[in-house]
Coordinates of all heavy atoms in Angstrom, one line a residue:
M327 N -19.8 -5.5 12.3 CA -20.3 -6.7 13.0 C -20.4 -7.9 12.0 O -20.5 -7.6 10.8 CB -21.8 -6.4 13.5 CG -21.9 -5.4 14.5 SD -23.7 -5.3 15.1 CE -24.3 -4.1 13.9
L328 N -20.4 -9.1 12.6 CA -20.8 -10.2 11.7 C -22.2 -10.6 12.0 O -22.5 -10.8 13.2 CB -19.8 -11.4 12.0 CG -18.4 -11.2 11.5 CD1 -17.5 -12.4 11.9 CD2 -18.4 -11.2 9.9
L329 N -23.0 -10.8 11.0 CA -24.4 -11.0 11.2 C -24.8 -12.4 10.6 O -24.2 -12.9 9.8 CB -25.2 -9.9 10.4 CG -24.8 -8.5 10.8 CD1 -25.6 -7.5 9.9 CD2 -25.1 -8.1 12.2
D330 N -26.0 -12.8 11.1 CA -26.5 -14.1 10.7 C -28.0 -14.0 10.5 O -28.6 -13.2 11.2 CB -26.1 -15.2 11.7 CG -26.3 -16.6 11.0 OD1 -26.6 -16.7 9.9 OD2 -26.0 -17.6 11.8
G331 N -28.6 -14.8 9.6 CA -30.0 -14.9 9.5 C -30.7 -13.7 8.9 O -31.9 -13.5 9.1
L332 N -30.0 -13.0 8.0 CA -30.6 -11.8 7.4 C -31.7 -12.2 6.5 O -31.5 -13.0 5.6 CB -29.5 -11.0 6.7 CG -28.4 -10.4 7.5 CD1 -27.6 -9.4 6.6 CD2 -28.9 -9.7 8.7
G333 N -32.9 -11.5 6.6 CA -34.0 -11.8 5.7 C -34.8 -10.5 5.6 O -34.2 -9.4 5.8
G334 N -36.0 -10.6 5.3 CA -36.9 -9.4 5.0 C -36.9 -8.5 6.3 O -36.8 -7.2 6.1
D335 N -37.0 -9.0 7.5 CA -37.1 -8.2 8.7 C -35.8 -7.4 8.9 O -35.9 -6.2 9.2 CB -37.3 -9.0 9.9 CG -38.7 -9.7 9.9 OD1 -39.5 -9.4 9.0 OD2 -38.9 -10.5 10.9
A336 N -34.7 -8.1 8.6 CA -33.4 -7.4 8.8 C -33.3 -6.3 7.8 O -32.8 -5.2 8.1 CB -32.3 -8.4 8.7
A337 N -33.7 -6.6 6.5 CA -33.6 -5.6 5.5 C -34.4 -4.3 5.9 O -33.9 -3.2 5.8 CB -34.1 -6.1 4.1
D338 N -35.6 -4.5 6.3 CA -36.5 -3.4 6.8 C -35.8 -2.6 7.9 O -35.8 -1.4 7.9 CB -37.9 -3.9 7.2 CG -38.7 -4.4 6.1 OD1 -38.3 -4.2 4.9 OD2 -39.7 -5.1 6.4
A339 N -35.3 -3.4 8.9 CA -34.7 -2.7 10.1 C -33.5 -1.9 9.7 O -33.3 -0.8 10.1 CB -34.3 -3.8 11.1
F340 N -32.7 -2.4 8.8 CA -31.5 -1.7 8.3 C -31.9 -0.5 7.5 O -31.3 0.6 7.7 CB -30.7 -2.7 7.4 CG -29.5 -2.0 6.8 CD1 -28.4 -1.6 7.5 CD2 -29.5 -1.8 5.4 CE1 -27.3 -1.0 6.9 CE2 -28.4 -1.2 4.8 CZ -27.3 -0.8 5.5
L341 N -32.8 -0.6 6.6 CA -33.1 0.5 5.7 C -33.8 1.6 6.5 O -33.7 2.8 6.1 CB -34.0 0.1 4.5 CG -33.2 -0.8 3.5 CD1 -34.1 -1.4 2.4 CD2 -32.0 -0.1 2.9
R342 N -34.5 1.3 7.6 CA -35.1 2.4 8.4 C -34.1 3.3 8.9 O -34.3 4.5 9.1 CB -36.0 1.7 9.5 CG -37.4 1.5 9.2 CD -38.3 1.3 10.4 NE -38.0 0.1 11.1 CZ -38.4 -1.1 10.8 NH1 -39.3 -1.3 9.8 NH2 -38.1 -2.2 11.5
V343 N -32.9 2.8 9.2 CA -31.9 3.6 9.8 C -30.7 4.0 8.9 O -29.9 4.9 9.2 CB -31.3 3.0 11.1 CG1 -32.2 3.0 12.3 CG2 -30.8 1.5 10.8
A344 N -30.6 3.3 7.8 CA -29.5 3.6 6.9 C -30.0 3.9 5.4 O -29.1 4.3 4.6 CB -28.6 2.4 6.8
G345 N -31.2 3.7 5.1 CA -31.7 3.9 3.8 C -32.1 5.4 3.5 O -31.9 6.3 4.4
E346 N -32.7 5.6 2.3 CA -33.1 6.9 2.0 C -34.1 7.5 3.0 O -35.0 6.8 3.4 CB -33.8 6.9 0.6 CG -33.9 8.2 -0.1 CD -34.7 8.1 -1.4 OE1 -35.6 7.3 -1.5 OE2 -34.2 8.8 -2.3
G347 N -33.9 8.7 3.4 CA -34.9 9.4 4.3 C -34.6 9.0 5.7 O -35.3 9.5 6.6
S348 N -33.6 8.2 6.0 CA -33.3 7.9 7.4 C -32.5 8.9 8.1 O -32.3 8.9 9.4 CB -32.4 6.6 7.4 OG -31.2 6.8 6.8
G349 N -32.0 9.9 7.4 CA -31.2 11.0 8.0 C -29.7 10.5 8.3 O -29.0 11.1 9.1
S350 N -29.4 9.3 7.8 CA -28.0 8.8 8.1 C -26.9 9.7 7.5 O -27.0 10.1 6.3 CB -27.9 7.4 7.4 OG -26.5 7.0 7.5
P351 N -26.0 10.1 8.4 CA -24.8 10.9 7.9 C -23.7 10.1 7.3 O -22.7 10.6 6.9 CB -24.4 11.6 9.2 CG -24.7 10.7 10.2 CD -25.9 9.8 9.8
L352 N -23.9 8.7 7.2 CA -22.8 7.9 6.8 C -22.6 8.0 5.3 O -23.5 8.2 4.5 CB -23.1 6.4 7.2 CG -23.2 6.2 8.7 CD1 -23.8 4.8 9.0 CD2 -21.8 6.3 9.3
V353 N -21.3 7.7 4.9 CA -21.0 7.7 3.5 C -21.4 6.3 2.9 O -21.9 6.2 1.8 CB -19.5 8.0 3.3 CG1 -19.1 7.7 1.9 CG2 -19.2 9.4 3.6
L354 N -21.2 5.3 3.7 CA -21.6 4.0 3.2 C -22.0 3.1 4.4 O -21.4 3.2 5.5 CB -20.5 3.3 2.4 CG -19.1 3.2 2.9 CD1 -18.9 1.9 3.7 CD2 -18.1 3.3 1.8
A355 N -22.9 2.2 4.1 CA -23.3 1.2 5.1 C -23.9 0.1 4.3 O -24.7 0.3 3.4 CB -24.4 1.8 6.0
G356 N -23.5 -1.1 4.7 CA -24.1 -2.3 4.0 C -23.4 -3.6 4.4 O -22.8 -3.7 5.5
F357 N -23.5 -4.6 3.5 CA -23.2 -5.9 3.9 C -22.2 -6.5 2.8 O -22.4 -6.3 1.6 CB -24.4 -6.8 3.9 CG -25.5 -6.1 4.8 CD1 -26.6 -5.5 4.2 CD2 -25.4 -6.2 6.2 CE1 -27.6 -4.9 5.0 CE2 -26.4 -5.5 6.9 CZ -27.5 -4.9 6.3
R358 N -21.3 -7.4 3.3 CA -20.5 -8.2 2.4 C -21.0 -9.6 2.6 O -21.1 -10.1 3.8 CB -19.0 -8.0 2.7 CG -18.3 -8.0 1.4 CD -16.8 -7.9 1.6 NE -16.3 -6.6 1.6 CZ -15.0 -6.3 1.4 NH1 -14.2 -7.3 1.2 NH2 -14.6 -5.1 1.3
H359 N -21.2 -10.3 1.6 CA -21.6 -11.7 1.7 C -20.4 -12.6 1.9 O -19.5 -12.6 1.2 CB -22.3 -12.2 0.4 CG -22.9 -13.5 0.4 ND1 -22.9 -14.4 -0.7 CD2 -23.4 -14.3 1.4 CE1 -23.5 -15.5 -0.3 NE2 -23.7 -15.5 1.0
L360 N -20.5 -13.4 3.0 CA -19.4 -14.3 3.4 C -19.8 -15.7 3.2 O -20.3 -16.1 2.2 CB -18.9 -13.9 4.8 CG -18.6 -12.5 5.1 CD1 -18.3 -12.2 6.5 CD2 -17.4 -12.0 4.2
G361 N -19.6 -16.6 4.2 CA -20.0 -18.0 4.1 C -19.1 -18.7 3.1 O -18.0 -18.2 2.8
G362 N -19.5 -19.8 2.6 CA -18.6 -20.6 1.7 C -17.3 -21.0 2.4 O -17.3 -21.3 3.6
A363 N -16.2 -20.8 1.7 CA -14.9 -21.1 2.3 C -14.5 -20.2 3.4 O -13.7 -20.6 4.3 CB -13.8 -21.1 1.2
F364 N -15.1 -19.0 3.5 CA -14.9 -18.2 4.7 C -15.3 -19.0 6.0 O -14.7 -18.7 7.1 CB -15.8 -16.9 4.7 CG -15.2 -15.8 3.9 CD1 -16.0 -15.3 2.8 CD2 -14.0 -15.2 4.1 CE1 -15.5 -14.2 2.0 CE2 -13.5 -14.2 3.4 CZ -14.3 -13.7 2.3
D365 N -16.3 -19.8 5.9 CA -16.9 -20.4 7.1 C -16.2 -21.8 7.4 O -16.4 -22.4 8.4 CB -18.3 -20.7 6.8 CG -19.1 -21.2 8.0 OD1 -18.8 -20.8 9.1 OD2 -20.1 -22.0 7.8
R366 N -15.3 -22.2 6.5 CA -14.6 -23.6 6.7 C -13.3 -23.4 7.4 O -12.4 -22.8 6.9 CB -14.5 -24.3 5.4 CG -15.8 -24.7 4.8 CD -15.5 -25.7 3.7 NE -15.1 -25.1 2.4 CZ -15.9 -24.6 1.5 NH1 -17.2 -24.7 1.7 NH2 -15.4 -24.1 0.4
P367 N -13.2 -24.0 8.7 CA -11.9 -23.9 9.3 C -10.8 -24.6 8.5 O -11.1 -25.6 7.8 CB -12.1 -24.7 10.6 CG -13.6 -24.9 10.7 CD -14.2 -24.8 9.4
D368 N -9.6 -24.0 8.4 CA -8.5 -24.6 7.7 C -7.6 -25.3 8.7 O -7.0 -24.7 9.6 CB -7.8 -23.5 6.9 CG -6.6 -24.1 6.2 OD1 -6.2 -25.2 6.4 OD2 -6.1 -23.3 5.3
P369 N -7.5 -26.6 8.7 CA -6.7 -27.3 9.7 C -5.3 -26.8 9.7 O -4.6 -26.9 10.7 CB -6.7 -28.8 9.3 CG -7.7 -28.9 8.1 CD -8.1 -27.5 7.7
A370 N -4.8 -26.3 8.6 CA -3.4 -25.8 8.5 C -3.4 -24.3 8.8 O -2.3 -23.6 8.7 CB -2.8 -26.1 7.2
G371 N -4.5 -23.7 9.1 CA -4.6 -22.2 9.3 C -4.1 -21.8 10.6 O -3.6 -22.5 11.5
G372 N -4.3 -20.5 10.9 CA -3.7 -19.8 12.1 C -4.8 -19.7 13.2 O -5.8 -20.4 13.2
A373 N -4.5 -18.9 14.2 CA -5.4 -18.7 15.3 C -6.8 -18.3 14.8 O -7.8 -18.8 15.3 CB -4.8 -17.6 16.2
L374 N -6.9 -17.4 13.8 CA -8.2 -17.1 13.2 C -8.2 -17.8 11.9 O -7.4 -17.5 11.0 CB -8.3 -15.6 13.0 CG -9.6 -15.2 12.3 CD1 -10.7 -15.1 13.4 CD2 -9.4 -13.8 11.7
T375 N -9.1 -18.8 11.8 CA -9.0 -19.6 10.6 C -10.3 -19.6 9.8 O -10.4 -20.1 8.7 CB -8.6 -21.1 10.9 OG1 -8.7 -21.9 9.8 CG2 -9.5 -21.7 12.0
R376 N -11.4 -19.1 10.4 CA -12.7 -19.0 9.7 C -13.4 -17.7 10.2 O -13.1 -17.2 11.2 CB -13.5 -20.2 10.0 CG -13.9 -20.4 11.4 CD -14.7 -21.7 11.5 NE -16.1 -21.4 11.3 CZ -17.1 -21.5 12.2 NH1 -16.8 -21.8 13.4 NH2 -18.3 -21.3 11.8
V377 N -14.4 -17.3 9.4 CA -15.3 -16.2 9.8 C -16.6 -16.7 10.3 O -17.3 -17.5 9.6 CB -15.5 -15.3 8.5 CG1 -16.4 -14.1 8.9 CG2 -14.2 -14.8 7.9
R378 N -17.0 -16.3 11.5 CA -18.1 -16.8 12.1 C -19.4 -16.0 11.9 O -20.0 -15.5 12.8 CB -17.9 -17.0 13.6 CG -16.8 -17.9 14.0 CD -16.4 -17.9 15.4 NE -15.6 -19.0 15.9 CZ -14.3 -19.0 16.0 NH1 -13.7 -17.9 15.7 NH2 -13.7 -20.0 16.5
G379 N -19.8 -15.9 10.7 CA -21.1 -15.2 10.3 C -21.1 -15.1 8.8 O -20.1 -14.8 8.2
P380 N -22.3 -15.3 8.2 CA -22.4 -15.3 6.8 C -22.4 -13.9 6.1 O -22.4 -13.8 4.9 CB -23.7 -16.0 6.5 CG -24.5 -15.9 7.7 CD -23.6 -15.8 8.9
Y381 N -22.6 -12.8 6.9 CA -22.5 -11.5 6.4 C -21.7 -10.6 7.3 O -21.8 -10.6 8.5 CB -24.0 -10.8 6.3 CG -24.9 -11.6 5.5 CD1 -25.7 -12.6 6.1 CD2 -25.0 -11.4 4.1 CE1 -26.6 -13.4 5.3 CE2 -25.8 -12.2 3.3 CZ -26.7 -13.2 3.9 OH -27.5 -13.9 3.2
A382 N -20.9 -9.7 6.6 CA -20.2 -8.7 7.4 C -20.9 -7.4 7.2 O -21.2 -7.0 6.0 CB -18.7 -8.5 6.9
Y383 N -21.3 -6.8 8.3 CA -21.9 -5.4 8.2 C -20.7 -4.5 8.4 O -19.9 -4.6 9.2 CB -22.9 -5.2 9.3 CG -23.1 -3.8 9.7 CD1 -23.8 -2.9 8.9 CD2 -22.5 -3.3 10.9 CE1 -24.0 -1.6 9.2 CE2 -22.7 -1.9 11.2 CZ -23.4 -1.1 10.4 OH -23.6 0.2 10.7
M384 N -20.7 -3.4 7.5 CA -19.7 -2.4 7.6 C -20.3 -1.1 7.3 O -21.2 -0.9 6.4 CB -18.6 -2.7 6.6 CG -17.6 -3.8 7.1 SD -16.3 -4.1 5.9 CE -17.2 -5.0 4.7
A385 N -19.9 -0.1 8.1 CA -20.4 1.3 7.9 C -19.3 2.2 8.1 O -18.3 2.0 8.9 CB -21.5 1.6 8.9
S386 N -19.3 3.4 7.4 CA -18.3 4.3 7.5 C -18.8 5.7 7.1 O -19.6 5.8 6.2 CB -17.1 3.9 6.6 OG -16.0 4.7 6.8
G387 N -18.3 6.7 7.8 CA -18.7 8.1 7.5 C -17.5 9.0 7.6 O -16.5 8.7 8.3
A388 N -17.5 10.2 7.0 CA -16.4 11.1 7.0 C -16.8 12.3 7.8 O -17.7 13.0 7.5 CB -16.0 11.5 5.6
P389 N -16.1 12.6 8.9 CA -16.3 13.8 9.7 C -15.8 15.1 9.0 O -14.7 15.6 9.3 CB -15.6 13.6 11.0 CG -14.5 12.6 10.7 CD -15.0 11.8 9.5
I390 N -16.6 15.5 8.0 CA -16.1 16.6 7.2 C -17.3 17.6 7.1 O -18.5 17.2 7.0 CB -15.8 16.1 5.7 CG1 -14.6 15.2 5.7 CG2 -15.5 17.3 4.8 CD1 -14.2 14.6 4.4
G391 N -17.0 18.9 7.1 CA -18.1 19.9 7.0 C -19.0 19.8 8.1 O -18.6 19.7 9.3
P392 N -20.3 19.8 7.8 CA -21.3 19.8 8.9 C -21.4 18.5 9.6 O -22.0 18.4 10.7 CB -22.6 20.1 8.2 CG -22.4 19.7 6.8 CD -21.0 19.8 6.5
V393 N -20.8 17.4 9.1 CA -20.9 16.1 9.7 C -19.9 15.9 10.8 O -18.7 16.0 10.5 CB -20.8 15.0 8.7 CG1 -20.9 13.6 9.4 CG2 -21.9 15.1 7.6
T394 N -20.3 15.7 12.0 CA -19.3 15.6 13.1 C -19.0 14.2 13.5 O -19.8 13.3 13.2 CB -19.9 16.3 14.4 OG1 -21.1 15.6 14.8 CG2 -20.2 17.8 14.2

Side-chain angles (χ1 to χ4, degrees):
M327 294 184 268
L328 286 175
L329 307 175
D330 198 1
L332 298 189
D335 291 354
D338 290 346
F340 172 70
L341 292 176
R342 270 197 294 276
V343 287
E346 195 182 40
S348 64
S350 168
L352 296 169
V353 168
L354 54 91
F357 310 102
R358 221 185 262 201
H359 183 212
L360 306 175
F364 278 122
D365 189 32
R366 288 195 282 275
D368 179 345
L374 181 79
T375 176
R376 61 180 278 245
V377 181
R378 294 173 165 99
Y381 300 93
Y383 155 74
M384 282 178 285
S386 185
I390 296 175
V393 178
T394 62

